[in-house]
């Protein structure tokens, strides 16, 4: 063979060059780093040919790698195959791993003198140096050898060799003296990286022993779950699938797919791939095709010419589908534990082939019966079987599309196994990405609650529900909002909110409470979880406050049989220890009266009660039946709304909004309107934190007794002002009860606002009558009896009331009192009052009452015309020198500096607006006597003296007009100078000085004394 190859090279130096390049390409390209793999592959093929268990021992000592294997010895055909390229001697061997005849070229990367020998068949070696010598001896090849720098093909020319020492128990030995230290390091690395994937890809090998400088390591195919699938192609399939593959591949028309995953010893659960197993596709030996799955894939994929990557095409497409089928078989054979989820591939792969395999697997997975589903417990009710979830106690395996997962404790999962189809057991994570890939439905706890309905739970007793509540998580109340709850009356309702839980030792009898329609939880189902989810503990008070109880009370009067409702409610009132006013709505409870008729409790009186003798006999109130009083007692009946004394409405956080306020009180809309008038305008309705009011006041006949009752505790508190929160401020307003009393004739047939206290402000005498002393003065004041002028004017409507009283002819007011009242009214903001229809004024020195609209006297002495006499419109006098000009008109007289305020308040003209006040006579200018300045330092220097002063043609004593004092006589001059100086109060002193200048020293001394006294006061 050697001479034939050499002759071929000599005949065609290009052939020599081609063989050298091809071998170099294989050694440095597709088969680099594959030395151990190729040695193992040849050992496996030898074992297959001999039909014996394959063993391989790899030993690296003193720079020599030895590979001993069992199996068929190397024969002449094998040596020829090793010495050629792309001409394998295994062409007819279907089970052979080697297929291409180039794998042995991997030795070229580490040695220049490989040797192979088998027992009984001789030894062959190859030598780079000897081959180079033979090539150099051929003249036609020498030039080519020089061009290649002396590099020749190593494996083309075999040489005979001396015997080799095959280790005992082995049949063949490959001996590779390593080229240099770098080659030795590379081999050492490859031996360390050798792992179980070699044996899984080459099942003919039972073990691989690695001796690395005396340290032994044995690789065994233990601890793996392996699934294989194989078959032969029909001629039609070969024609279709191998159309793009080389000819010799078509001569091997069979396929193989094998998956392997490491598993735990006893449990058999899958685990991650060992570090020594590269995550690549094996075809059947490792490629560079990434496969990022925790399982090893070995398949007869067609390889590209670089022997590193899978060649895409019809054959690869076919094997991808077979690989997906086999992967499902692998998963189906593994224990059904959550570890399976780690073997479910994600959608994204690390390469094209990886992605295609993943997609093929994922298409199949949701329909694969793979997952364990909880079956109903063996002792479960038949409802589970009716729901179609399987036979109790029987194991169930479901496909992903049929499975459900609930993130819940295991005890709960076991409990609901009969209600949630395909429910995975505890430990299966609902958020694992594989759950979605498998098509498993993620069921929320709220969905589980929704499933607890219909036939699935029809036969479950209250004890089962309690055991369910025991294992439900209480940290998600929103999800459990619709949780079914069995009731004592046999109903099953949705949602704990609104149900009532009888506490241990409760004296309440569900049978007695039955007529109220309450949702009382069955005692055998009672559990604290229901309280956390909105159920209320069934105490007498909570049962009373239940909306269903309220509804039963509200409908009792029109119900078919109100007696059982009344018995249940009165028993609860008694047990709860209610007092009157605690539950005002109980006044609607239908109770029997002494006449046998039904009444709302709030329209029944206790025959011996404090209120019975106060009300009008013609009212609609009845009297409670004697047997009711005897059975339940006055306290319970009064707490239920039957009237012993006045009924009090109590409420909290009451919005003063006309659309919201409704307490069934007489004239409550009017009270609300009056209160809102006292408060600032705001967008948000004001709020009363604590609201109390006495009702049924409109039916009282005996007011002295009623007021005595109202003015004593505890009712007295309802007379106190209410504190209203408005615009962030607290404002006090009259209580409803005080307001109602103030607007009704409850004091001797008169309204409290028409009366005053006996010790009231003297300025109110003659305007208000004396209040009868039926109650204490503080109580009288609270219901509106007047006390002081200041309080009257500060109250809402007080100024209008005072003006109306001043305009009332029957009122008695003296002149000094009238002046004081005008002074007080001048301080009132005009916007608070409406102009009065009648005005009390002074006419010709007499007090009169004038109708402001038609100018007639409503009251006055005959001297000024008497009642009915026509008079001019009243005026407000703002200056004393105008009095002669308006002497014929009714005058509103007060300190001149208040005139404008009174004019605006009363909507009356000022005197200066009605009279021109022009001086129409002539006079002479005179100097003001110097002595006057001692009293009037700011007096003008001159004045105009008139023999007869006329103003608007009317005689007058003086006039201060256009900055000039006009006067006639000493009295007139004194008044004019005092007015002009702003010292009107000194006018009499000035007159005395003018009459007797000698009195000046005495007057000055008196003035000094007045000044000192004033300063000290």
């Amino acid at each position: 063979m050697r001479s034939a190859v050499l002759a071929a090279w000599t005949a065609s130096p290009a052939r020599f060059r081609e063989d050298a390049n091809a071998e170099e390409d294989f050694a440095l390209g597709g088969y680099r780093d594959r030395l151990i793999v190729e040695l193992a592959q040849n050992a496996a093929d030898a074992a297959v040919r001999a039909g014996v268990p394959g063993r391989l021992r790899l030993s690296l000592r003193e720079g020599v790698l030895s590979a001993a294997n069992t199996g068929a010895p190397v024969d002449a055909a094998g040596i020829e195959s090793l010495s050629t390229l792309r001409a394998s001697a295994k062409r007819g061997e279907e089970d052979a791993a080697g297929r291409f005849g180039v794998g042995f070229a991997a030795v070229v990367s580490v040695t220049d003198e490989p040797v192979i020998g088998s027992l009984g068949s001789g030894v062959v070696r190859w030598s780079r140096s000897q081959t180079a010598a033979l090539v150099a001896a051929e003249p036609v090849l020498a030039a080519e050898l020089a061009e290649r720098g002396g590099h020749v093909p190593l494996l083309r020319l075999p040489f005979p060799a001396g015997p080799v020492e095959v280790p005992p128990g082995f049949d063949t030995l490959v001996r590779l003296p390593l080229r240099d230290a770098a080659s030795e390091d590379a081999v050492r690395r490859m031996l360390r990286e050798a792992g179980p994937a070699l044996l899984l890809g080459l099942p003919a090998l039972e073990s691989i022993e690695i001796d690395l400088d005396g340290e032994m390591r044995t690789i065994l195919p233990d601890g793996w779950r392996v699934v294989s699938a194989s078959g032969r192609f029909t001629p039609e399939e070969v024609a279709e699938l191998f159309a793009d593959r080389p000819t010799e591949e078509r001569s091997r028309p069979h396929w193989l797919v094998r998956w392997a995953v490491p598993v735990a010893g006893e449990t058999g659960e899958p685990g991650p791939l060992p570090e020594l197993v590269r995550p690549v596709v094996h075809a059947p030996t490792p490629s560079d095709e990434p496969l990022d799955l925790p399982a090893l894939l070995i398949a007869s994929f067609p390889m590209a010419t670089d022997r590193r990557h899978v060649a895409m095409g019809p054959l690869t497409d076919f094997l991808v589908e077979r690989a997906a089928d086999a992967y499902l078989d692998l998963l189906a054979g593994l224990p059904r534990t959550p570890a399976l989820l780690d073997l479910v591939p994600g959608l994204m792969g690390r390469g094209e082939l990886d992605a295609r395999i993943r997609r093929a697997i994922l298409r199949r997975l949701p329909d694969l019966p793979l997952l364990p589903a909880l079956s109903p417990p063996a002792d479960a009710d038949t409802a589970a079987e009716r729901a179609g979830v399987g036979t109790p106690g029987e194991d169930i395996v479901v496909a992903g599309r049929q499975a459900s997962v609930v993130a819940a404790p295991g005890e709960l999962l076991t409990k609901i196994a009969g209600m949630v189809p395909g429910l995975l057991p505890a430990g299966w994570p609902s958020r694992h990405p594989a759950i979605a890939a498998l098509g498993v439905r993620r069921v929320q706890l709220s969905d589980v609650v929704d499933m607890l309905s219909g036939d699935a739970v029809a036969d479950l007793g209250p004890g089962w529900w309690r055991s369910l509540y025991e294992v439900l998580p209480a940290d998600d109340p929103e999800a459990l909002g619709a949780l079914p709850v069995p009731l004592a009356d046999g109903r099953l309702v949705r949602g704990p909110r609104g149900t009532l839980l009888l506490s241990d030792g409760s004296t309440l009898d569900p049978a007695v409470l039955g007529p109220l329609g309450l949702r009382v939880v069955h005692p055998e189902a009672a559990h604290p979880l229901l309280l956390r989810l909105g159920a209320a503990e069934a105490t007498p008070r909570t049962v009373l406050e239940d909306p269903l109880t309220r509804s039963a009370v509200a409908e009792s009067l029109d119900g078919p049989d109100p007696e059982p409702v009344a018995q249940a409610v009165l028993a609860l009132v008694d047990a709860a220890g209610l007092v009157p006013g605690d539950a005002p709505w109980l006044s609607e409870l239908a109770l029997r009266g002494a006449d046998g008729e039904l009444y709302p409790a709030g329209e029944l009186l206790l025959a011996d009660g404090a209120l019975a003798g106060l009300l009008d006999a013609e009212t609609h109130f009845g009297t409670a039946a004697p047997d009711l009083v005897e059975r339940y007692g006055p306290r319970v009946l009064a707490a239920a709304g039957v009237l012993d004394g006045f009924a009090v409405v109590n409420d909290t956080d009451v919005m003063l909004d006309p659309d919201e306020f409704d307490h069934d009180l007489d004239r409550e809309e009017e009270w609300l309107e009056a209160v809102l008038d006292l408060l600032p305008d705001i967008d948000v309705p004001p709020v009363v934190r604590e609201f109390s009011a006495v009702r049924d006041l409109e039916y009282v006949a005996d007011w002295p007794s009623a007021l005595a009752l109202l003015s004593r505790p505890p009712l007295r508190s309802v007379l106190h002002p209410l504190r209203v929160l408005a615009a962030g401020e607290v404002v006090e307003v009259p209580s409803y009860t005080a307001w109602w009393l103030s607007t009704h004739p409850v004091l001797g047939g008169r309204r409290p606002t028409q009366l005053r206290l006996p010790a009231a402000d003297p300025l109110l005498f003659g305007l208000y009558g004396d209040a009868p002393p039926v109650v204490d003065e503080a109580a009288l004041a609270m219901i509106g009896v007047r006390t002081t002028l200041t309080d009257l004017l500060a109250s809402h409507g007080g100024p209008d009331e005072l003006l109306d009283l001043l305009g009332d002819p029957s009122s008695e007011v003296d002149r000094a009192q009238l002046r004081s009242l005008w002074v007080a009214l001048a301080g009132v903001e005009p916007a608070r009052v409406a102009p009065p229809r009648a005005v009390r004024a002074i006419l010709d020195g007499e007090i009169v009452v004038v109708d402001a609209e038609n100018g007639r006297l409503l009251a006055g002495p005959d001297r000024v015309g008497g009642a009915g006499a026509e008079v001019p419109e009243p005026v407000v006098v703002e200056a004393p020198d105008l009095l002669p000009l308006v002497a014929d008109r009714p005058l509103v007289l007060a300190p001149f500096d208040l005139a404008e305020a009174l004019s605006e308040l009363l909507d009356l003209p000022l005197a200066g607006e009605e009279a021109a006040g022009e001086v129409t006579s002539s006079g002479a200018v005179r100097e003001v006597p110097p002595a006057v300045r001692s009293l009037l330092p700011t007096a003008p220097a001159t004045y105009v003296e008139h023999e007869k002063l006329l103003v608007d043609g009317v005689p007058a004593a003086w006039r201060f007009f256009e900055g000039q004092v006009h006067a006639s006589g000493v009295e007139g001059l004194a008044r004019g100078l005092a007015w002009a100086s702003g010292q009107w109060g000194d006018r009499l002193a000035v007159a005395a000085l003018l009459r007797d200048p000698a009195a000046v020293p005495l007057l000055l001394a008196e003035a000094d004394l007045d000044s000192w006294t004033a300063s000290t006061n």
Side-chain angles (χ1 to χ4, degrees), residues 255-257 259 281 297 299 301-302 310-327 352-361 363-364:
W255 58 272
L256 168 70
V257 169
W259 285 98
V281 174
L297 172 60
F301 282 109
V310 171
M312 297 301 170
L315 180 56
T316 294
D317 296 343
F318 173 85
L319 292 173
V320 164
E321 298 301 319
R322 303 294 79 73
D325 293 336
Y327 194 78
E352 181 183 357
L353 181 62
D354 188 9
R356 292 175 64 184
I357 293 173
R358 287 167 180 269
R359 288 195 293 268
I361 293 172
R363 284 197 305 271
R364 294 164 167 77

Side-chain angles (χ1 to χ4, degrees), residues 43-48 52-55 70 95 199 201-207:
D45 290 342
V48 169
V52 299
R55 291 173 53 226
T70 59
D95 295 330
L199 297 180
L202 304 170
L205 289 180
E206 288 188 345
S207 65

Side-chain angles (χ1 to χ4, degrees), residues 91 125 243 304 401 471 481 499-500 539 553 560 569 607 727 767 822 847 1001 1006 1014:
R91 178 167 51 186
R125 67 184 177 85
R401 295 188 193 280
V471 297
T499 62
L500 296 169
T539 65
V553 169
V569 172
L767 298 173
W822 286 134
I847 297 178
E1006 290 176 352

Side-chain angles (χ1 to χ4, degrees), residues 79 143-144 156 213 274 387 392 481 483 523 535 666 695 795 803 811 875 1007:
I79 296 301
E144 186 62 37
R156 299 293 280 126
D213 298 324
L483 184 66
D666 181 50
R695 67 181 181 90
S795 66
L803 287 172
S811 298
V875 296

